[in-house]
Every structure is written in structure tokens, then in C-alpha cells.
Amino acid sequence: MTIKDARKLLDSRQITAIELVQFYLKNIEDKNKELNVYLEVYDDCLTQAKEAQKIIDEGKAQSLTGIPLGLKDNILIKGRKVSGASKILESYTATYTATATQKLIDQGAVILGRTNMDEFAMGSSTENSAFGVTKNPHDPERVAGGSSGGSAASVASDMALGALGSDTGGSIREPASFCGVVGLKPTYGAVSRYGLMAMGSSLDVIGPITKTVTDSEIIFNTIKGKDKMDSTSIPHPDFVSTSPKLGEAKKIKIGVPYHLLEQGGISEEVKENFEESVAKLKSLGFEIKDIKLLNIDKSLAIYYIIMPAEVSSNMARYDGIKYGLSKEGKDLLEVYKKSRGEGFGPEVRRRIILGTYILSSGYYDAYYGQAMAAREVIKKEFTVAFDAVDAILTPTTPAPAWKIGEKTSPLENYLADIFTVSANIVGVPSISLPSGYVKIDNKDLPLGIQLMAPHLGEHILFEIGKKFLKE
Ligand code: GLN
């Protein structure tokens, strides 16, 4: 079932919001133990559903009234626990509600619980969660992707109709691709970051994970918009069907940087699937154009400088005094050291050390300064590319989901982000669409394609995506 289907059933009184939430709670009961998708299922889901049913009965239902959704464990709801899948916040209760979540709650959506993730969103597999890995619903021996692995798996396994994730370098798109669902990373600033635990503040954005593009659009339209609590948020225009540019151009042009597929490390299955997807888009009437993005291969290096620099500064707030875990020590320094040493997992510590090094005097210009300059080069490259095409197409990931525990070095994990980080560096919207399956070990593993559009061009992604998936 999709959000659109459920809306029809609820509005025509064929089902109640209570029945709907019971269906999802039953699935959670049956599957969550094995897959480890939810870190917590809220105990008031039925109460939320009853409230939603009242709204429906009063004839005041909106698009998400009564729709059961999952919430990544780094997005706050006042009075509820939220941990960022970190030991340091294991018993932390939020003191305010994220704007994006508030907008869902205002419509009467049913928030089912907190979905698993890599600790503070740092990772590509949820293997960095302090509370165990999330398993892929298509093959429980494999990862669900990350960092929003719980959110993607919740949708793929019918443990939620949709979910919110966050994306700093691919954390919505990569797990969506691994789980065979749709993941949207909106334009930077299009969704308020107020109440999202900060990772890389110039890169972070909240977005939806759903089964269809139509559902993605429904959630995005609900959560987007300027927010006075986030000065980097921007107003997002309401586009009705197509933009004037698309209308004029008639035929949407999709640019494909084929040269990116020639770099090493892209699996044959991904290349084949990508070719099939390009052929399908052509047959749907889209114009495909070979384009060159000559500096995009530097994106990963740029990301892995800027992100840890911002991480090291954002993580400073977890000091054992203001929030969460607090260890005793003989002086303040020892309190810091013990609380942070025991509270943070290895990947978070690694990035704090990297970021602190990058920002230290003597190295700042060589690393951070250069990465920021290179970021401008990539931005310009995208601006030029978008003068010639309406969207850019790549695979979402270089390979399908890997086996749990298979990747042993951090660098191997970082390489999974090769196609996704550019959109965050540039700030443009990007969507991952399921593009079929590849059979490995007798299991059908999903693959995905990624589309990027100019700033505020979500409507272009929706238009192409709806044609590609037919929903
Ligand atoms: N996989 C990337 C990383 O580890 C992206 C994470 C994210 O988008 N939050 O940094």
C-alpha cells in the first residue's frame, strides 16, 4: 500500500486510522526483532490514530492525516527520547520538536517510532549504530544502507507507509537504493533543520523515504518551507505540474556524465542496470545527453574534508555537561574525556579527530580552505551543466547492498558515497529511484538510479520519477 492508496481508503471510510496503524504495529511486532528497524516504537500510536480518526470524521483530513510514519532517531519530538543511535544520548529526552516533524503532527500523521541509523548519521550501513545493525529486508545477511537505514527498511518491509531521514552525503538516497524504495534529498534549506541533530551543517537536510514518487512529493510538500527557527531555510515555491522552463522546452533533457562510470570500483551489475534505465528513460521520451563534469571526481575528497570539519565543531556540544551521558572525573577535563570517550563510538571519534586536525592552525588553509575553494568549482560546474540539461543522472551507489561486516576499513565505506556527495556539496535536490534488481546469492537485491536537478527543482525530479516508476 502507498500513502496515496491509504488516503483514499481512509477518506472513503473503507478503513479507519486505527485499523491502519494496527496493521503496521502488527508488522513491526512480526519483523522488527529480526531486522532491527525501530529503536523504539511509541506506546501511544493507537491514541495518535484515534485523534487522527476524529479529524477524518470531522471532514478535516489533510494528505497525511492518519498515515503511519517512521522517524529517524536524529529528529526531535518534545518529551520523547531521541538518541542519534549514540550511547552518549541513550537516555536523552528532547526538549523541543523539529519543525519538519511538527508539520507532520499538525496534519495528524501517526508517528510510529524512532528508526535506527548510523551514530549521529555518520556511515552508509547502520553498522555504526550503537544499538546494532539494521538488516536489509531483501536479504537479512546484508546491510540496509545508511545512515537512514532504519527509515528505508521500515518502508521496504511495510513497517511504515513512509519515513523521514536525513541526508548529509547520501544518507537518504543510499539506503533507499539498497532497500528498493524512493529517497529524496531536498534542496539545501528547503526543509528546516530546526530539531535535526547537526552533523555537517552546510550539507544536512531532512527528506522523505517512500514507496512511490507521488508519496515522496506528498511528504515533501508537507515539510518544506521557510522557518524562522532556521536562518538557512528558504521558501519553496509551489509548482503545479510543470515549471515554465519545462513547459517551454517540451522535452526534458537529462544529462549523463558517462565518464563517471569509467572510474574504477563501479560494479558490472550497476553499469548494466544503469544502461537499462537510460534506455527506459529514452523510450519514455526523455532526451539523453552525454555531459562532462570534469571535477566531480574530487567530490568525495571535498566532502570528507568539509564534513568532518563541521562534525568536529558540531560534536563539541556533547561534553558530558549539557546533554546525555556524564561521567565523573577529578576535574572538568576528565569529565569531558570520560564522557566523550565512552559515549562516542569509533567512527564518530575518528571524524572528530580528522575534523580537528583539518581545522587546526597550520593545516586549515591546506585542507579546509582548499576544500571550500574546490566546492565553489564544483558548484560552477553544476551551474554550467544545468544551463544545458534539466537533470543529471547517475547510479545511486557503485554496488548493491554489501554483507554485514564485509567492509572492514572506513575508506571502503566512504567510497559508497561516490555518486551522492556532490548534490550535498552543491546543495541541489536529488532523488534515488528503484531501478530493478540483481540476483546475488539467490536473492534479489535492489539497485537505484539518482537524479539531480537545479536548486528548488524538486518538481523536475518528481516529473521524471513519476514517469520512470509510473507512480
Ligand atoms: N555515508 C556518508 C557519511 O558517512 C553520508 C552520511 C549522511 O548523509 N548522513 O558521511
Side-chain angles (χ1 to χ4, degrees):
M1 191 170 9
T2 65
I3 294 176
K4 192 178 157 210
D5 298 335
R7 177 82 273 131
K8 274 193 202 136
L9 293 174
L10 288 168
D11 289 346
S12 61
R13 307 294 195 269
Q14 284 170 274
I15 56 167
T16 66
I18 297 120
E19 286 164 342
L20 188 63
V21 79
Q22 276 166 339
F23 173 80
Y24 285 91
L25 289 174
K26 174 81 176 65
N27 283 347
I28 293 172
E29 205 182 298
D30 291 346
K31 299 182 196 173
N32 196 46
K33 245 206 173 84
E34 192 200 354
L35 299 178
N36 198 26
V37 162
Y38 282 94
L39 295 177
E40 179 189 357
V41 179
Y42 299 140
D43 56 13
D44 65 344
C45 292
L46 284 176
T47 316
Q48 292 183 57
K50 281 180 196 152
E51 289 299 319
Q53 190 56 42
K54 263 192 227 155
I55 302 174
I56 296 168
D57 290 341
E58 286 164 10
K60 291 184 182 149
Q62 297 179 68
S63 47
L64 293 174
T65 312
I67 302 296
L69 302 174
L71 193 63
K72 187 174 180 179
D73 192 30
N74 60 351
I75 307 175
L76 278 55
I77 302 182
K78 187 178 175 168
R80 293 198 196 266
K81 278 175 77 174
V82 60
S83 78
S86 178
K87 283 233 154 38
I88 212 161
L89 290 182
E90 192 167 6
S91 48
Y92 173 72
T93 300
T95 53
Y96 62 99
T97 301
T99 302
T101 323
Q102 191 59 54
K103 290 182 173 192
L104 302 177
I105 295 171
D106 288 346
Q107 285 209 355
V110 176
I111 314 291
L112 294 166
R114 304 188 271 134
T115 58
N116 199 10
M117 56 185 277
D118 287 293
E119 183 175 6
F120 288 118
M122 299 177 203
S124 317
S125 61
T126 76
E127 288 171 294
N128 298 332
S129 167
F131 307 110
V133 64
T134 295
K135 295 178 179 160
N136 193 310
H138 296 271
D139 177 358
E141 284 182 17
R142 291 178 187 267
V143 299
S147 64
S148 314
S151 287
S154 73
V155 177
S157 61
D158 290 317
M159 287 197 246
L161 263 172
L164 291 192
S166 68
D167 193 308
T168 305
S171 276
I172 288 176
R173 290 160 286 160
E174 189 246 20
S177 166
F178 282 6
C179 291
V181 292
V182 175
L184 173 73
K185 177 208 104 64
T187 304
Y188 178 76
V191 179
S192 169
R193 287 183 293 117
Y194 181 68
L196 167 68
M197 286 179 194
M199 178 182 160
S201 303
S202 77
L203 307 155
D204 297 341
V205 62
I206 295 176
I209 297 179
T210 53
K211 282 204 176 137
T212 65
V213 178
T214 305
D215 285 359
S216 183
E217 191 174 16
I218 291 171
I219 296 186
F220 174 67
N221 282 334
T222 306
I223 62 176
K224 71 180 189 178
K226 171 91 187 143
D227 176 18
K228 68 176 190 318
M229 302 308 283
D230 172 5
S231 61
T232 62
S233 67
I234 47 175
H236 197 280
D238 282 315
F239 285 100
V240 187
S241 66
T242 58
S243 76
K245 189 181 169 208
L246 293 181
E248 281 161 28
K250 287 273 186 320
K251 196 161 189 175
I252 296 181
K253 261 191 221 148
I254 301 176
V256 181
Y258 280 108
H259 62 98
L260 286 183
L261 296 174
E262 301 316 319
Q263 53 190 342
I266 320 290
S267 83
E268 284 312 311
E269 293 98 342
V270 165
K271 286 186 192 172
E272 259 171 50
N273 177 272
F274 186 71
E275 281 310 323
E276 286 164 20
S277 305
V278 171
K280 182 170 166 188
L281 286 163
K282 266 188 200 157
S283 74
L284 289 166
F286 295 106
E287 189 180 327
I288 305 290
K289 202 175 163 217
D290 189 357
I291 58 162
K292 300 251 177 317
L293 295 163
L294 291 176
N295 288 294
I296 199 177
D297 59 336
K298 320 278 187 313
S299 294
L300 208 57
I302 297 170
Y303 174 78
Y304 275 97
I305 297 283
I306 293 176
M307 176 274 298
E310 296 184 7
V311 159
S312 70
S313 127
N314 275 326
M315 293 297 125
R317 72 193 65 179
Y318 306 107
D319 56 5
I321 306 287
K322 295 191 202 72
Y323 315 92
L325 185 76
S326 185
K327 290 280 164 187
E328 291 202 1
K330 63 176 187 317
D331 55 19
L332 187 59
L333 190 63
E334 200 178 279
V335 172
Y336 288 163
K337 281 183 171 171
K338 279 193 178 166
S339 306
R340 288 167 67 85
E342 289 178 33
F344 288 140
E347 185 58 28
V348 175
R349 293 206 297 269
R350 179 178 297 113
R351 293 187 192 203
I352 292 171
I353 293 167
L354 266 174
T356 312
Y357 178 78
I358 287 161
L359 292 176
S360 58
S361 87
Y363 294 104
Y364 183 97
D365 287 338
Y367 294 111
Y368 188 71
Q370 255 215 296
M372 288 303 274
R375 184 178 196 173
E376 290 310 311
V377 173
I378 308 275
K379 279 188 190 169
K380 284 214 184 82
E381 206 163 82
F382 269 74
T383 309
V384 171
F386 283 130
D387 276 342
V389 294
D390 301 293
I392 296 173
L393 178 74
T394 70
T396 307
T397 61
W402 58 84
K403 283 214 165 126
I404 293 167
E406 185 178 65
K407 286 198 198 285
T408 44
S409 85
L411 218 54
E412 278 182 88
N413 276 280
Y414 300 169
L415 286 170
D417 307 328
I418 191 141
F419 293 116
T420 49
V421 292
S422 325
N424 302 74
I425 289 173
V426 180
V428 294
S430 174
I431 199 166
S432 178
L433 305 170
S435 58
Y437 296 86
V438 49
K439 211 173 210 62
I440 299 180
D441 301 339
N442 240 342
K443 297 267 165 52
D444 288 316
L445 302 181
L447 290 172
I449 52 165
Q450 167 184 247
L451 284 158
M452 295 178 271
H455 284 95
L456 300 174
E458 278 82 356
H459 58 290
I460 301 171
L461 304 178
F462 295 144
E463 178 153 342
I464 303 171
K466 277 187 222 170
K467 291 208 175 101
F468 186 75
L469 287 186
K470 302 201 165 47
E471 53 184 1

